[in-house]
Amino acid sequence: MLVWGAVFCLPVLADAKKSAAGNVYSWDFSDCSIRDILYVVSLDTSISIVSDDTVSGKADFRFTGKDFETAFDSFLVAARLYVNKENDVWTVSRIRIVEHDGLYCLDACDLCAEQIVEKLSLFLGCALTYEVLPAGTMNVHFKDLDEFGLLQGLCLRLNGFVLEKWETGYHFAKRTGTALTVAGTSGYENVNVHFVEEGKVYVDVRDSKAGDVLEALFGLDDDVDFCVLAGSDVRIQRSCFTAINLEDALEKVCAQSGLGIVRSNGVYYVVSDSGTRDRLTGGNKNWYKLKLEYSKSAEFVSILKKRFGNVECVVLPDGVSFLVCADERDFKEICLLKDEVDLKMDTYLVELKYIRPEDLLKYLPPGVDKECLFFADDNSCVYFKGTEPAYLSLLEHVKMCDRPVVRVSYDLLILQYEEGSENSWNPSFSVRKMNLGDKNDFGIKLGNVLNLNLNVISAFGLDFAAQLQTSIEQNKTSVFADTTLHGVAGKQINFQNTNTYRYRDNNLDPDTGKPVYSGVTKEIVSGLKLDVVGFVSGDGMITSTVTASVTRQGIDTSSSTGNPPPTSEKVVTTEVCGKSGEPIVISGLVQNSSSQGSSGIPLISKVPLLGLLFKKSEKINEKSQMVIYLVPHIEEYSSAYIKNQNDNNQSEMLAQSALLERCEAFYKNIVMEEENAQL
């Protein structure tokens, strides 16, 4: 019983083209016979599809759609099949033979040798006979071969067979070791030798005996007498070359077969010579002596071995000469290499202007070896040993890296603001008469502010300067630090204003509870620490990384409690990017402290109850804040930069003069208003 693995969705039409163009097909074959699949598809599409005797086996075919031919071609490729569409009949086969301009293309998949030979015989129209061919299937694919080349290629696929050409056809015969077939000009199996232009000899040999090749060569000239005195059964697998003459061709074939050829009295004698193959591969090597002028022979020999492999060299005792075994061609290359390597080395001084000699090693170009550089004892000079072009190249590179470092300066002003709340009772008081002008007393002094190293007026403005002057006069603000820090861009600048307190490390006696001195002295550092790192970018912007810490020490209680004095610390870290001259303000370093005291009239203040009238008690809570003002500047050495800085300074001085003039006019207006009010 036959079960079709397909689903018929549409009626079968008589016109195959109309069916393929207008209908939708749906097939689903799973592990079905290929012949059955072709039969069902032929019925459904009304296309005559037949298969020859080479088609066998099973396959899968699933398709739904209108483009039937594309799907059918894909099915044939997957099943390793071929189709020939002629006379409205599609013939499916496992072999395809195409002929064009006398050249043949052959494709065969999963066929035995007998089937392929049979199909070739029918297609070529010639007799192809064979002995028992190997069993099993094979795949063959040839393209653009003539008739003999096609059959010869198939014969090579049959291991142990040779192709014999007869007048009526070809015969595939088993190889016996002595069978000769006509193939090529020489008349011997796989041997093609003939004369070309100007007496040259062309040799093309495939898997043939050396004796057959020699006989073919001797056969090119009837006047040549020869005698073979050695065994010539050595097989030449592959050889193809053009010799300058017949004698050169004989020497090359003999050298490949381990034979030698000697001509005596007009007769060529073929003798056994095992050394000819070694001389052919190794060449005619001789010993040569070379002497170096500027390099050591041991170093040059190591270079030779890396360049030419296992070259045989002998270093002579003088250290500059050596022997080398090489043929003429390699010796010429060795001499050229010697001229390139053995160069005169001189010592040159490398002058550095801005960087240190040890810094030069960080910026060495790839072509400069560290071993070529030498430093003086004090590391003040650098010497280079090498050729003059290498020295000039090093100088060009040094120009790029030997540049002055960018210097950065910071105008530093640290102010300590004091804020306090006082809770006191004082029995004393004073009274004075009001003077004229107390009501409208007003004035501004900038003496303290103008004496600061940091130009407060240009950096923060007149209002800030006036407030700072007033705060300093009222002792609410004190100048903690006023200086300028200089450094190199990218390097850390440290500023420290601290006090060091040393105390004895005491331990409490467990029996008495009193502190006992342990003999150890410790330190507590309190005050201000400031770390600044400035990086200057290519556009002139300064990126400043600032870390400020304020440490305050408490009251020493180590003598009574045995504990070290308490400390408090505030740390601020920030990173700011700005132009040269733009100020940086760091605040938030706040410290709180409290103190209590009393004073009074001697003796009377000691009387109970009554002494309270003559005693003054005071409790003060203090709050101090450190504010850091930084103004970064870039310092360079170029004349253009110095001129620009001078212009900026001149502009700044003019701006300050104009500002002072405005202040004087402002004060004059205030004085005039006061005088008018009094009048």
Side-chain angles (χ1 to χ4, degrees):
M1 180 178 181
L2 182 60
V3 179
W4 299 107
V7 178
F8 302 103
C9 300
L10 299 174
V12 179
L13 302 179
D15 190 353
K17 295 182 180 180
K18 182 178 179 180
S19 175
N23 293 332
V24 177
Y25 299 100
S26 177
W27 295 292
D28 187 358
F29 298 96
S30 178
D31 194 22
C32 295
S33 174
I34 296 177
R35 292 178 177 272
D36 296 340
I37 295 174
L38 297 177
Y39 179 72
V40 173
V41 172
S42 176
L43 291 178
D44 199 13
T45 59
S46 300
I47 299 176
S48 300
I49 303 176
V50 297
S51 58
D52 62 3
D53 57 339
T54 62
V55 177
S56 62
K58 296 183 178 181
D60 299 333
F61 182 35
R62 296 177 178 86
F63 171 70
T64 299
K66 296 182 179 180
D67 193 359
F68 159 70
E69 291 195 17
T70 302
F72 188 71
D73 292 339
S74 301
F75 163 70
L76 295 179
V77 173
R80 301 163 67 91
L81 299 171
Y82 305 97
V83 63
N84 182 21
K85 303 177 181 180
E86 290 183 356
N87 301 326
D88 296 333
V89 177
W90 294 6
T91 304
V92 179
S93 175
R94 290 195 178 274
I95 187 172
R96 178 176 60 187
I97 307 174
V98 180
E99 185 269 337
H100 180 69
D101 295 337
L103 299 178
Y104 297 90
C105 296
L106 170 64
D107 295 291
C109 297
D110 302 330
L111 291 180
C112 62
E114 293 182 355
Q115 289 178 307
I116 297 175
V117 173
E118 180 183 353
K119 295 298 181 182
L120 282 175
S121 177
L122 294 175
F123 188 85
L124 297 176
C126 63
L128 297 180
T129 60
Y130 53 85
E131 299 181 13
V132 179
L133 297 177
T137 60
M138 59 189 301
N139 300 326
V140 178
H141 301 280
F142 296 113
K143 184 177 181 181
D144 296 337
L145 297 176
D146 57 6
E147 182 180 282
F148 178 80
L150 180 64
L151 297 176
Q152 181 67 16
L154 179 61
C155 182
L156 294 176
R157 291 283 284 110
L158 304 174
N159 189 20
F161 282 79
V162 294
L163 180 65
E164 298 178 355
K165 185 176 181 181
W166 297 346
E167 295 181 358
T168 58
Y170 299 90
H171 177 70
F172 293 91
K174 288 187 177 180
R175 189 190 306 276
T176 60
T178 59
L180 299 178
T181 59
V182 179
T185 308
S186 64
Y188 291 96
E189 173 190 359
N190 299 334
V191 177
N192 184 5
V193 295
H194 58 271
F195 283 108
V196 291
E197 69 278 358
E198 298 179 358
K200 296 181 180 180
V201 179
Y202 175 76
V203 179
D204 187 3
V205 180
R206 294 176 181 270
D207 191 19
S208 301
K209 291 183 180 180
D212 297 341
V213 180
L214 291 175
E215 282 199 44
L217 288 173
F218 287 129
L220 294 178
D221 190 351
D222 297 336
D223 297 333
V224 174
D225 298 330
F226 65 93
C227 181
V228 179
L229 302 179
S232 57
D233 293 336
V234 178
R235 302 194 70 85
I236 300 176
Q237 296 298 329
R238 189 72 175 94
S239 183
C240 183
F241 59 88
T242 300
I244 58 177
N245 51 35
L246 178 60
E247 187 172 353
D248 183 36
L250 292 171
E251 290 179 356
K252 285 182 171 57
V253 172
C254 290
Q256 189 175 0
S257 308
L259 302 174
I261 188 165
V262 179
R263 185 175 183 181
S264 177
N265 298 325
V267 179
Y268 288 96
Y269 295 93
V270 179
V271 297
S272 178
D273 188 359
S274 59
T276 55
R277 182 176 298 179
D278 297 335
R279 288 193 298 270
L280 180 65
T281 56
N284 297 322
K285 294 184 178 180
N286 295 316
W287 284 94
Y288 299 94
K289 180 181 179 180
L290 291 175
K291 184 177 181 180
L292 304 176
E293 297 182 8
Y294 308 106
S295 305
K296 296 181 180 180
S297 57
E299 297 177 355
F300 186 75
V301 167
S302 63
I303 297 175
L304 281 182
K305 291 184 178 180
K306 292 181 180 179
R307 168 62 179 83
F308 295 95
N310 296 326
V311 61
E312 190 173 358
C313 298
V314 177
V315 178
L316 297 180
D318 59 0
V320 295
S321 302
F322 65 96
L323 299 176
V324 58
C325 182
D327 55 14
E328 185 177 358
R329 179 181 177 183
D330 290 343
F331 178 70
K332 290 181 180 179
E333 294 186 7
I334 292 174
C335 292
L336 294 176
L337 182 62
K338 170 183 171 296
D339 296 338
E340 295 177 358
V341 175
D342 188 27
L343 301 176
K344 183 180 180 181
M345 299 292 180
D346 295 328
T347 302
Y348 303 90
L349 175 63
V350 181
E351 297 181 357
L352 301 177
K353 295 182 180 180
Y354 306 106
I355 64 176
R356 294 174 295 180
E358 55 268 21
D359 295 335
L360 179 62
L361 298 177
K362 302 178 182 179
Y363 308 103
L364 280 181
V368 179
D369 191 0
K370 295 182 180 179
E371 297 180 356
C372 298
L373 298 177
F374 304 93
F375 299 93
D377 294 337
D378 56 352
N379 283 338
S380 59
C381 299
V382 181
Y383 299 95
F384 172 76
K385 183 179 180 181
T387 61
E388 184 177 359
Y391 170 67
L392 297 177
S393 176
L394 178 62
L395 290 183
E396 292 296 328
H397 186 79
V398 168
K399 290 180 181 178
M400 294 187 292
C401 61
D402 188 20
R403 298 180 298 174
V405 295
V406 180
R407 295 175 54 186
V408 181
S409 64
Y410 289 89
D411 294 335
L412 174 64
L413 176 63
I414 302 178
L415 300 178
Q416 183 172 358
Y417 295 93
E418 300 288 347
E419 297 179 5
S421 61
E422 183 177 356
N423 183 11
S424 62
W425 180 81
N426 190 351
S428 63
F429 61 91
S430 62
V431 178
R432 71 176 178 85
K433 185 179 179 180
M434 180 178 294
N435 297 325
L436 182 63
D438 287 346
K439 182 177 181 181
N440 298 319
D441 189 9
F442 181 80
I444 298 178
K445 297 180 181 179
L446 298 178
N448 294 331
V449 174
L450 294 178
N451 291 331
L452 295 176
N453 179 68
L454 176 62
N455 194 339
V456 177
I457 298 177
S458 63
F460 303 103
L462 180 61
D463 293 340
F464 177 82
Q467 294 177 8
L468 178 60
Q469 176 66 29
T470 304
S471 180
I472 292 176
E473 290 180 352
Q474 296 178 359
N475 294 326
K476 293 182 179 181
T477 301
S478 60
V479 179
F480 192 81
D482 181 26
T483 183
T484 300
L485 305 178
H486 298 274
V488 178
K491 303 294 183 180
Q492 184 172 337
I493 306 174
N494 299 321
F495 176 80
Q496 182 173 348
N497 187 357
T498 58
N499 297 321
T500 302
Y501 171 79
R502 296 178 178 85
Y503 67 95
R504 295 183 301 176
D505 188 14
N506 297 332
N507 296 324
L508 294 178
D509 190 350
D511 298 332
T512 61
K514 296 181 179 180
V516 179
Y517 178 54
S518 63
V520 179
T521 301
K522 295 186 177 181
E523 295 181 350
I524 294 179
V525 179
S526 60
L528 174 68
K529 292 182 179 180
L530 181 67
D531 298 331
V532 183
V533 179
F535 172 75
V536 180
S537 59
D539 57 353
M541 301 292 289
I542 303 176
T543 302
S544 302
T545 303
V546 185
T547 301
S549 63
V550 176
T551 307
R552 170 171 287 189
Q553 173 191 336
I555 301 176
D556 183 13
T557 59
S558 59
S559 59
S560 59
T561 63
N563 296 323
T567 58
S568 60
E569 183 178 15
K570 302 291 184 179
V571 180
V572 175
T573 301
T574 183
E575 186 174 27
V576 183
C577 181
K579 297 180 180 179
S580 176
E582 290 185 356
I584 302 172
V585 181
I586 301 175
S587 60
L589 302 173
V590 182
Q591 297 285 351
N592 297 319
S593 63
S594 62
S595 61
Q596 185 175 2
S598 62
S599 62
I601 301 175
L603 299 178
I604 300 178
S605 63
K606 301 292 184 180
V607 178
L609 299 179
L610 182 61
L612 296 176
L613 300 175
F614 302 93
K615 182 187 296 184
K616 181 176 69 174
S617 62
E618 187 178 36
K619 183 178 181 181
I620 301 175
N621 295 322
E622 295 182 350
K623 180 180 179 182
S624 63
Q625 180 178 189
M626 289 283 187
V627 180
I628 302 172
Y629 300 92
L630 285 173
V631 181
H633 300 280
I634 302 175
E635 299 180 4
E636 293 184 357
Y637 296 98
S638 62
S639 58
Y641 178 80
I642 294 175
K643 181 178 181 300
N644 188 20
Q645 285 294 99
N646 294 333
D647 295 342
N648 292 339
N649 294 335
Q650 186 176 3
S651 301
E652 187 175 349
M653 293 176 62
L654 294 176
Q656 292 182 4
S657 300
L659 182 61
L660 291 176
E661 292 178 359
R662 291 172 55 193
C663 293
E664 292 177 358
F666 178 71
Y667 299 150
K668 290 180 180 179
N669 293 332
I670 293 177
V671 173
M672 292 177 63
E673 290 177 359
E674 289 181 354
E675 293 177 353
N676 294 331
Q678 292 177 0
L679 293 176

